[in-house]
Amino acid sequence: MNVAAAPLTEKLARPAPPAPYGLLAELTHRCPLQCPYCSNPVALDRRDVELDTQSWLRVFSEAAKLGVLQVHLSGGEPTARRDLEVMIRHCVEVGIYTNLITAGVGVTPERLASISDAGIDHVQLSFQGADAPTTDRVSNFRGAHERKLAVAREVRRLGLPLTVNSVVHRANIEQIPAFIELALQLGAKRIEIAHAQYYGWALRNRGALMPTREQVFRALDVVEEARIRLKGQLAIDAVVPDYYAKYPKPCMNGWGRQSLNVTPSGKVLPCHAAETIPSLDFWNVREHSLQEIWVDSPAFNAFRGTDWMPELCRTCERKEVDWGGCRCQAMAIAGDAAATDPACHKSPLHADLLALAERDSHSRVNGYDYRRYLTERDG
């Protein structure tokens, strides 16, 4: 599907979308880890094309004016940006809640104190395993686990709220109880347990990452039991693996409905993996305001609402529950971003998706195709 810019008559007829409330700011693609499940694009933005400080400050001002309430400062590794504290202070000034998403391995106590002083509201810290051998193997970074533990303790010492992030797959899905216990020991108030999503780099490693159906449903039972047991003590958010689902997830709560992503080079995306859809034209904050992009850009309007849906989705009683599911997954599996999400049991490709999961979950692939991220040396 080749999506062109909408003519003026269509713009006038189209109702204005509701204001977004979340912005994912991918400040850089530089990162010290090499996680095989990485969902960043295969082609990374180099340091020399990253938005400069003033451009990011303008983006945050425009976001606040647009209605954004919270910004997630991410990457890559956002602390690789030496101007991070400047950005945090500016977000505070324009009234946006700030959440730092970090791997933690290169963050010193002094830098954390500086980030705290700048006014950061919340820290999310990723763990690739609940123990050192798993974290270090999955991230391909020796000593990563101990560094993360030290950062978590320092975050809590500074009085900052902490969320533990854990992407689960075949190598660590049995560690979910240990992940939950780790979050409690570190004083986190929230843990995010997200099954790997298979696009971009993660798609290359699906054969080594895919858990079995039995593992997945056992994990769901563990999570539900922990939610009941720890209610009021630890919030547990879980992202179910698409390949074993009956219904598709409402990706981003609907394409172009609630949030937007800005890449290191300034492209604005409706979701983190949207660049896997080659037909879409992503406008850049260097040429357009965030308001213009949110309302008028062809990429945001391509799958917004329900008019774009194929008949199977458009006549479904869940069309404004799932919002058509994941467009990137439809692209990856069906080869057509406008197709019914294969995760839906009504999709003609659903059986094929289950067969892929069954095959890969029993594969004997144990080694990873590690993601080589950009570092400071990459210019």
Side-chain angles (χ1 to χ4, degrees):
M1 183 176 75
N2 189 15
V3 183
L8 179 59
T9 53
E10 183 180 331
K11 291 180 184 178
L12 292 174
R14 187 174 62 229
Y21 66 75
L23 169 67
L24 178 67
E26 299 171 356
L27 303 180
T28 181
H29 277 158
R30 288 171 280 154
C31 183
L33 305 187
Q34 300 182 15
C35 302
Y37 57 75
C38 179
S39 58
N40 274 345
V42 173
L44 298 171
D45 290 340
R46 297 177 64 86
R47 184 179 182 180
D48 58 5
V49 302
E50 291 176 6
L51 294 176
D52 62 18
T53 306
Q54 290 306 311
S55 295
W56 274 116
L57 299 188
R58 174 176 58 81
V59 167
F60 296 139
S61 292
E62 291 179 357
K65 187 176 180 180
L66 187 57
V68 168
L69 300 176
Q70 58 183 353
V71 60
H72 305 281
L73 302 167
S74 181
E77 174 49 54
T79 60
R81 292 282 304 226
R82 297 172 185 173
D83 53 358
L84 176 62
E85 289 88 332
V86 176
M87 298 185 199
I88 294 169
R89 290 190 190 96
H90 185 76
C91 288
V92 172
E93 290 171 4
V94 298
I96 300 179
Y97 183 94
T98 53
N99 174 40
L100 177 67
I101 304 174
T102 178
V105 297
V107 188
T108 64
E110 293 76 18
R111 186 74 193 280
L112 273 177
S114 176
I115 290 169
S116 177
D117 290 344
I120 197 72
D121 291 299
H122 185 270
V123 176
Q124 288 185 226
L125 180 62
S126 67
F127 280 85
Q128 287 68 40
D131 56 34
T134 307
T135 296
D136 295 0
R137 174 177 177 255
V138 174
S139 66
N140 203 28
F141 190 106
R142 183 175 295 178
H145 193 77
E146 294 304 320
R147 295 192 187 197
K148 290 170 184 287
L149 293 177
V151 166
R153 296 184 185 109
E154 187 64 17
V155 167
R156 295 301 298 128
R157 191 191 69 78
L158 291 167
L160 295 170
L162 173 67
T163 288
V164 168
N165 282 0
S166 55
V167 176
V168 297
H169 42 81
R170 189 192 307 165
N172 65 7
I173 192 169
E174 304 293 349
Q175 294 185 340
I176 288 178
F179 273 123
I180 293 171
E181 181 59 30
L182 176 64
L184 290 169
Q185 290 176 1
L186 293 175
K189 293 299 182 183
R190 176 176 172 270
I191 182 171
E192 183 175 300
I193 300 170
H195 287 260
Q197 305 294 301
Y198 299 105
Y199 5 78
W201 200 267
L203 193 58
R204 296 188 179 195
N205 286 286
R206 192 177 60 192
L209 295 171
M210 182 68 70
T212 66
R213 182 182 182 87
E214 293 73 21
Q215 285 178 311
V216 166
F217 283 92
R218 188 162 59 246
L220 295 177
D221 289 341
V222 168
V223 168
E224 189 56 33
E225 181 279 328
R227 277 179 170 160
I228 296 170
R229 175 169 49 88
L230 299 172
K231 185 177 181 180
Q233 184 178 358
L234 180 69
I236 303 176
D237 291 336
V239 179
V240 179
D242 297 325
Y243 283 42
Y244 294 109
K246 182 177 181 181
Y247 296 108
K249 66 177 181 290
C251 187
M252 310 303 293
N253 288 314
W255 184 279
R257 290 188 68 244
Q258 295 182 350
S259 61
L260 64 171
N261 296 17
V262 181
T263 72
S265 62
K267 285 182 284 186
V268 186
L269 315 178
C271 83
H272 187 62
E275 287 182 280
T276 61
I277 304 175
S279 61
L280 294 183
D281 176 21
F282 301 106
W283 287 4
N284 196 297
V285 296
R286 300 179 196 270
E287 290 87 37
H288 299 274
S289 72
L290 217 54
Q291 169 79 24
E292 290 172 330
I293 295 170
W294 177 251
V295 174
D296 294 326
S297 72
F300 274 84
N301 285 303
F303 304 113
R304 180 177 265 154
T306 60
D307 290 346
W308 65 270
M309 292 180 179
E311 179 66 17
L312 188 62
C313 301
R314 195 165 55 247
T315 57
C316 180
E317 70 279 2
R318 292 178 59 89
K319 69 178 181 180
E320 293 186 1
V321 176
D322 302 327
W323 295 101
C326 180
R327 298 302 87 221
C328 301
Q329 186 156 260
M331 187 73 228
I333 304 300
D336 178 6
T340 301
D341 186 342
C344 181
H345 73 287
K346 297 181 180 182
S347 166
L349 291 177
H350 186 65
D352 295 337
L353 192 71
L354 290 176
L356 280 174
E358 179 70 15
R359 182 199 67 193
D360 285 352
S361 67
H362 290 91
S363 75
R364 297 185 178 181
V365 177
N366 290 314
Y368 298 131
D369 182 5
Y370 285 110
R371 151 133 269 174
R372 182 189 177 274
Y373 257 110
L374 303 175
T375 66
E376 293 287 348
R377 294 191 300 276
D378 292 307

